[in-house]
Amino acid sequence: MTPDASPGFRPAPLLGSLAFATLAMTAISMAVGYAPLPLGPAVTDLLAGQKSLPALVLYELRLPRALLGALVGFSLGMAGAAMQGLLRNPLAEPGVIGISSAAAFGAVLAFYSGLSASLALALPLGGIAGALVATVILFILLGRGASTTTTTLILAGVALNSFAGAATALALNLAPNPYAALEIVFWLMGSLADRSMNHVALALPLMLTGWLLLASTAPALDALSLGEDTAASLGFDLGWLRARLIGGAALAVGSAVAVTGAIGFVGLVVPHLLRPLVGHRPGRLLIASGLGGAILVLAADIGVRLMPIRPELKLGVVMALIGAPFLFALVQRLRREAL
């Protein structure tokens, strides 16, 4: 038994509190905007099928933004906890396997080729295609079986990250005009603005599939925390475990990046904050980190809209401003523990 597996530990109150906070932040996100919105009448009109101005604002602008904030945050938080459990490294995050960079490059390629001008959902479709291609390449690089080491996985992720980053830089360098390059840069910064229910409908099925794959690895992640040999002796197939984790992270994170652009630090910060509250159990951390990620992204997006800055700051920039000080604090804590 691991030290955290105390019989008195109860995850239900924590998950209930996080779920309630997520619902509350989603409601607040729908209520907050540049102009006041009577949320109660808007919801009533929307449910009644009345096309009033408040109902249209809610359905076309506020609701997609709030839903995507929760969905993207859940995906990034859960995938971050899964990657940290798989690699047994608290500094791991979803981008370590290169899926985020590949999804971003796929969207940039759709923009650069001109498809985004003729097809409304070209950017997210390009991002999803980039994530799927990167996943196939990753599986080819890793091969089959349990002999694949953590080092091999990290090296394959570094290779994918390097290639996707270089290809994105090349697209910026070859942009036909500075305005096109500026549009690409703005998209890469990450944002929930100007998204529609079509984006939600496109990303949600892929995210749900990714969540189910990641959640199915919870028992194996708990066993893996005791070492690969111990996990294998308990009957867990490490090759199949890595395949589910990589596939789940690719679907969840790839679709998230495809619809919002790059939003970093969520998968790194949230598991760190919640790990002590779940008894340091990687399996228990998955759902908790998903809910925590949803809360963090929604809170940051609400803050973006409340800031007296126009045009509004990009969400990815705000998340970086939040995440960097957290890393500095983490470094200081690790230094104190090492003394």
Side-chain angles (χ1 to χ4, degrees):
M1 177 180 294
T2 57
D4 47 83
S6 57
F9 181 80
R10 295 291 183 269
L14 174 64
L15 294 181
S17 299
L18 291 173
F20 176 80
T22 301
L23 292 175
M25 294 302 297
T26 303
I28 295 172
S29 178
M30 289 189 290
V32 170
Y34 297 135
L37 176 68
L39 189 58
V43 172
T44 302
D45 291 347
L46 183 61
L47 294 177
Q50 299 180 12
K51 296 183 178 180
S52 63
L53 180 59
L56 289 175
V57 171
L58 177 62
Y59 183 77
E60 298 292 340
L61 299 177
R62 304 285 181 85
L63 184 59
R65 186 164 186 166
L67 289 178
L68 280 178
L71 296 174
V72 169
F74 193 98
S75 295
L76 296 177
M78 190 177 191
M83 287 297 103
Q84 291 179 13
L86 173 63
L87 302 178
R88 286 166 290 166
N89 186 337
L91 297 180
E93 57 141 359
V96 74
I97 58 175
I99 300 299
S100 301
S101 299
F105 172 64
V108 168
L109 195 62
F111 183 92
Y112 183 78
S113 64
L115 288 176
S116 60
S118 56
L119 182 62
L121 294 177
L123 285 179
L125 288 173
I128 291 171
L132 294 178
V133 169
T135 305
V136 173
I137 294 174
L138 192 61
F139 278 120
I140 293 174
L141 291 175
L142 294 179
R144 300 179 59 185
S147 60
T148 301
T149 64
T150 298
T151 302
T152 305
L153 175 60
I154 294 175
L155 288 175
V158 169
L160 278 175
N161 267 318
S162 299
F163 176 79
T168 300
L170 180 64
L172 288 170
N173 194 31
L174 298 178
N177 59 72
Y179 299 104
L182 192 60
E183 286 291 330
I184 294 174
V185 171
F186 278 164
W187 186 88
L188 288 173
M189 289 180 183
S191 176
L192 295 174
D194 301 324
R195 302 310 190 262
S196 67
M197 292 301 294
N198 289 332
H199 291 87
V200 176
L202 179 64
L204 183 57
L206 299 175
M207 288 182 178
L208 286 174
T209 305
W211 298 348
L212 291 174
L213 285 172
L214 293 176
S216 70
T217 66
L221 287 178
D222 285 340
L224 190 61
S225 66
L226 301 174
E228 292 188 359
D229 292 338
T230 302
S233 68
L234 292 174
F236 293 104
D237 185 339
L238 298 184
W240 176 230
L241 169 63
R242 292 190 184 98
R244 282 183 291 163
L245 283 169
I246 294 171
L251 289 171
V253 177
S255 55
V257 173
V259 295
T260 63
I263 299 176
F265 288 100
V266 178
L268 177 62
V269 171
V270 173
H272 267 289
L273 295 177
L274 295 177
R275 186 171 287 108
L277 301 181
V278 298
H280 298 270
R281 292 280 293 273
R284 289 174 176 167
L285 187 60
L286 294 176
I287 302 299
S289 291
L291 294 171
I295 294 169
L296 179 59
V297 171
L298 286 169
D301 188 54
I302 292 169
V304 163
R305 281 176 280 174
L306 292 177
M307 290 179 184
I309 300 175
R310 298 293 180 269
E312 68 179 36
L313 293 178
K314 296 296 183 180
L315 183 59
V317 175
V318 174
M319 291 306 307
L321 293 174
I322 294 173
F326 172 83
L327 286 180
F328 289 137
L330 178 61
V331 169
Q332 291 298 321
R333 192 190 74 184
L334 294 176
R335 286 186 59 188
R336 287 194 300 267
E337 293 176 353
L339 294 178

